[in-house]
Amino acid sequence: MILLRRLLGDVLRRQRQRQGRTLREVSASARVSLGYLSEVERGQKEASSELLSSICDALDVPMSELMREVSDELALAELAQSAAGDAVPAPMRPVLNPVSVTSVTGRPDERVTIKRPQEAVDVVAA
């Protein structure tokens, strides 16, 4: 299960760390206890919209930017979860035919040609 409070906490922590600020500095500026801010960042507490607004102000980050980053993280987490749960079949690498090697004389130092099947395609699951 994807917990929104964890994703939100991760994004808040990254924002704070990008600025090189401590929990103490941000908690003082946001007027929230250091312990509570720490719990929010670790995804242990749900932050109210008022608290988020205060933290965003303290970080000088628009709430819309914070929520956009959380939304992107949520989309990635949902994609990973659906791929892991096989709710949607994940793209699979096709089984390739054996590679054929041709040699004229059979000498070890001779150049060989390796032919790939024409249908060889690499598929990468996101």
Side-chain angles (χ1 to χ4, degrees):
M1 172 173 35
I2 301 167
L3 294 177
L4 188 59
R5 68 176 185 255
R6 274 210 188 122
L7 295 175
L8 185 61
D10 289 344
V11 171
L12 283 170
R13 182 183 304 109
R14 277 196 307 268
Q15 287 285 349
R16 178 179 58 78
Q17 290 174 339
R18 282 182 199 140
Q19 297 176 13
R21 297 178 64 193
T22 65
L23 273 169
R24 187 174 307 284
E25 292 169 340
V26 175
S27 68
S29 182
R31 297 179 187 221
V32 62
S33 77
L34 185 139
Y36 195 79
L37 180 57
S38 175
E39 288 179 312
V40 168
E41 281 192 1
R42 288 181 282 139
Q44 295 177 336
K45 293 284 185 187
E46 292 277 350
S48 67
S49 57
E50 292 86 359
L51 180 65
L52 283 177
S53 178
S54 182
I55 295 169
C56 285
D57 288 346
L59 292 170
D60 196 31
V61 174
M63 193 181 301
S64 59
E65 183 180 320
L66 176 82
M67 297 310 275
R68 190 172 315 118
E69 195 170 336
V70 170
S71 177
D72 291 345
E73 293 285 327
L74 180 60
L76 289 173
E78 287 173 336
L79 184 61
Q81 187 178 47
S82 68
D86 289 331
V88 176
M92 296 181 63
R93 184 182 197 115
V95 177
L96 302 177
N97 295 330
V99 175
S100 63
V101 178
T102 57
S103 170
V104 178
T105 65
R107 293 186 315 186
D109 60 341
E110 182 183 19
R111 172 178 262 166
V112 294
T113 303
I114 300 174
K115 297 179 182 176
R116 294 186 318 172
Q118 292 177 351
E119 300 173 18
V121 177
D122 284 339
V123 178
V124 178

